[in-house]
Amino acid sequence: MRVCAFCGQELTQEGIEKACRGCGAFGGCHLIKCPTCGYEQPQEPRWLQKLAAWVRRRPPEPHLVRREGETTGEAEPPQRLPLTALRAGSTARIVHIVQDSEGHWRKLTALGVVPGAVVRLVQKFPSYVLQIGYSTLALDHQLTAQIEVEPLPTASEP
Amino acid sequence: MSSSLTESVPLRYAPAIEQAIVEIAALLRGSYTLSERTLALLLLQRDPEIWEEVRLQETPATLERIRAVCERLHQQSEPPLAWQIEQQRQQRSQQIASIALFQAPHAVPKRTLSDLIGRLCTNPWTGFPILAMVLYFGLYQFVGVFGAGTVVDWLENGIFGQYINPFVERLVRSLVPWSAIQELLVGEYGIWTLGVTYAMALILPIVTFFFLMFALLEDTGYLPRLAMLIDRAFKWLGLNGRAVIPIVLGFGCDTMATVVTRIQETRRERILTTFLLTLAIPCSAQLGVVLALLAMHPKGLLIWAGVLVATFLLIGWLAARGLPGTPTPFYMELPPMRLPRLSNVLFKTLARLHWYFLEVFPLFLLASVLIWIGQLTRLFDIAVRGLTPVVQALGLPSDAAVAFLFGFFRRDYGAAGLYKLNEQGALTGNQLLIAAVVLTLFVPCVAQFLVTIKERGLRAALAMFVLALSIALLTGWVLAQVLGWLGVSV
């Protein structure tokens, strides 16, 4: 959560956009304006956000992270990625298993790889290693790519 | 478990599916071992076995109506029916699990030593060195050097060579007057002197040590990790990580490894693995003799290993491209690493030995009889004469032809024959190296060949036999030429 450094008001993406609309500049100023008091403060660079997120082991605040080709402001639809796109160590919720004609998806289902399950990607090389519940699975690229997930914020280590 | 769970309502699927089940169940008239509901579900999922069973018992009109119900449901179903059924089963099982199981609220799984070892075995940086260590100490030192070397030497030359065999030989020679029968029983390749001695004094200790090691590895949970590490490399050969189990077993005994290819999913993979076992994986008996043979020539040993690995990869790669079909994906559960229980390991080893003996022991006896017939009818002399020009083309003395021929009956006997030739000083280092390479790649032993026929069919077995023979001779010839050009002598 971000707050205004001057008045302490909570900053939301809508609020910032509204405040910025009245400004003559076309952007590129790296400043964000508080809608309540009008104070302009510099936006944290992305690397700093990442570093801060890493240090705090908390998810980077989604409304301040802009991804390429993505509009801000709207409630983001959950991202759907193949599990292979994730980094080793990340956690995700399975949303879908791609059904191939040869029925490989049945093997995945039998191993407990089902929509709704939370999976942790332990490693990616030389094979993919997945942790689901109390079991650990080794899969190759082909099968792992059939698992579609929605990334979850990495849980903080105790 | 509480009775409320077991007595609760059975799993119900989506209304459309349930209706189709009822319709099909009402149509079935035959007598089956499964309930009508189960049958209907399996029919809906297009289970080929059940369809066959129903086809035999129902009238064509009924079959047509069942087929119509199935078609209707399949056309309506989106996502596919099998997927829906699977989903509903999963939901139900999770529901049951959530009632029956509970997790202590703040129980954070502890990081145990087992986790750490498991992680070290799967991490590529530490996993491959560990793999090398397991192969070196477990397979080479324990099975190869100690089992196939020390123990075999003590049993074969000590117990059997000095005490049992002379006694049996004297007994048979004093009781049986015909020299042909004497030869069959206690001759150089007799049922007792070759078959029984070989099985008891050579194969038994080697496979015992191998099975012991294998059971230990199996019970620690290391093998799935090994499969997972090697999967990427094996994909290149048209196989997946699962093939690592028969391949590793092949270093113990290729015959047994051929049987173990049953764990693979498709016929294509089984054929590929069987062929690689036939061609490029030396069994422990052979490995032992070849190592002894080339021990004086370390450079030769290195070239031998290099040629073998190169052939394994090249031929595997080519075969994967030549055979129709696609590799199957790799999946395996990684169980936690555990300390094996000695009693389990021993029982497993004994059970396997028992089974192994029942399967393979008669084949050794058969090999003895075949050799006896071959010698009696002079078929062998003809075969040796046929092999002699081939052997000479490889730059080897003509006596090596005998060694090659016997290599078929005892994979290591061929190498042992070379050992004798070497002791007589008849072979140079280069000749020894070429002979060792050709013998290792050469046709399978008679036991392995028979098992291959049993498992893969006569046609596939014969094709492998001929291919292995040609590849072995070709590789030997190329190696001889290359060594000649480069002026290398080992």
Side-chain angles (χ1 to χ4, degrees), chain B residues 53-286:
Chain B
E53 174 96 28
V54 171
R55 203 180 58 77
L56 292 175
Q57 295 206 34
E58 305 294 337
T59 62
T62 316
L63 280 174
E64 208 38 62
R65 286 170 72 189
I66 297 175
R67 209 162 276 140
V69 176
C70 282
E71 280 312 308
R72 197 193 65 215
L73 189 64
H74 274 282
Q75 273 163 16
Q76 289 170 358
S77 300
E78 183 53 44
L81 190 63
W83 170 257
Q84 286 186 31
I85 292 177
E86 200 66 51
Q87 287 301 302
Q88 283 156 12
R89 283 186 183 152
Q90 284 292 340
Q91 277 171 16
R92 177 70 172 161
S93 64
Q94 275 167 14
Q95 195 189 341
I96 295 174
S98 69
I99 305 170
L101 298 171
F102 76 96
Q103 191 180 358
H106 298 293
V108 179
K110 264 193 293 180
R111 291 216 165 167
T112 56
L113 183 65
S114 142
D115 284 345
L116 181 72
I117 296 173
R119 225 166 295 199
L120 289 179
C121 289
T122 47
N123 184 306
W125 294 103
T126 47
F128 285 106
I130 292 176
L131 168 60
M133 267 166 53
V134 167
L135 289 182
Y136 179 76
F137 288 107
L139 219 61
Y140 179 74
Q141 287 292 345
F142 184 67
V143 181
V145 174
F146 182 65
T150 317
V151 179
V152 166
D153 191 49
W154 174 73
L155 269 175
E156 193 176 25
N157 298 331
I159 305 280
F160 271 83
Q162 284 183 357
Y163 303 103
I164 302 180
N165 284 4
F167 169 73
V168 175
E169 230 179 295
R170 251 178 296 143
L171 193 72
V172 169
R173 292 205 192 277
S174 63
L175 288 178
V176 183
W178 307 281
S179 73
I181 304 295
Q182 281 180 5
E183 278 300 305
L184 172 64
L185 292 173
V186 293
E188 200 179 349
Y189 311 106
I191 289 179
W192 183 271
T193 28
L194 186 142
V196 178
T197 309
Y198 186 54
M200 300 294 293
L202 198 109
I203 295 300
L204 181 67
I206 294 174
V207 295
T208 308
F209 280 93
F210 189 84
F211 280 149
L212 199 63
M213 195 64 223
F214 199 76
L216 271 173
L217 283 180
E218 222 173 17
D219 282 14
T220 49
Y222 183 70
L223 287 179
R225 287 170 173 83
L226 175 62
M228 169 244 142
L229 280 177
I230 233 82
D231 178 59
R232 235 170 235 249
F234 271 31
K235 280 278 160 59
W236 206 65
L237 304 176
L239 299 169
N240 69 33
R242 264 166 209 269
V244 87
I245 292 168
I247 297 279
V248 168
L249 267 170
F251 285 104
C253 172
D254 284 311
T255 308
M256 169 185 63
T258 307
V259 180
V260 172
T261 55
R262 285 176 197 166
I263 64 160
Q264 293 180 300
E265 282 178 78
T266 59
R267 180 172 156 79
R268 175 191 143 90
E269 283 172 284
R270 290 180 194 164
I271 286 185
L272 276 173
T273 315
T274 311
F275 182 56
L276 287 173
L277 286 171
T278 302
L279 185 70
I281 306 294
C283 68
S284 51
Q286 200 181 19

Side-chain angles (χ1 to χ4, degrees), chain A residues 99 123 126-127 136 138 140, chain B residues 80 122 228 232 235 330 332 334:
Chain A
Q99 291 145 50
Q123 71 178 69
S127 298
T136 311
D140 65 3
Chain B
T122 47
M228 169 244 142
R232 235 170 235 249
K235 280 278 160 59
F330 169 71
M332 210 168 228
L334 299 182

Side-chain angles (χ1 to χ4, degrees), chain A residues 110-146:
Chain A
L111 289 165
V113 182
V114 285
V118 173
V119 56
R120 198 168 74 84
L121 189 62
V122 181
Q123 71 178 69
K124 296 179 75 167
F125 185 86
S127 298
Y128 290 84
V129 176
L130 276 56
Q131 180 102 41
I132 297 179
Y134 287 104
S135 52
T136 311
L137 306 175
L139 301 176
D140 65 3
H141 183 90
Q142 190 190 339
L143 277 179
T144 316
Q146 275 177 248

Side-chain angles (χ1 to χ4, degrees), chain A residues 9 27 31 49 53-54 66 72 80 82 91-92 103 109-111 114 119 122 128 139 147 156-157:
Chain A
Q9 170 76 32
L31 295 174
Q49 289 177 8
W54 184 78
R66 289 182 67 161
T72 50
R80 197 152 140 181
T91 311
T109 324
L111 289 165
V114 285
V119 56
V122 181
Y128 290 84
L139 301 176
I147 307 172
S156 55
E157 298 279 328

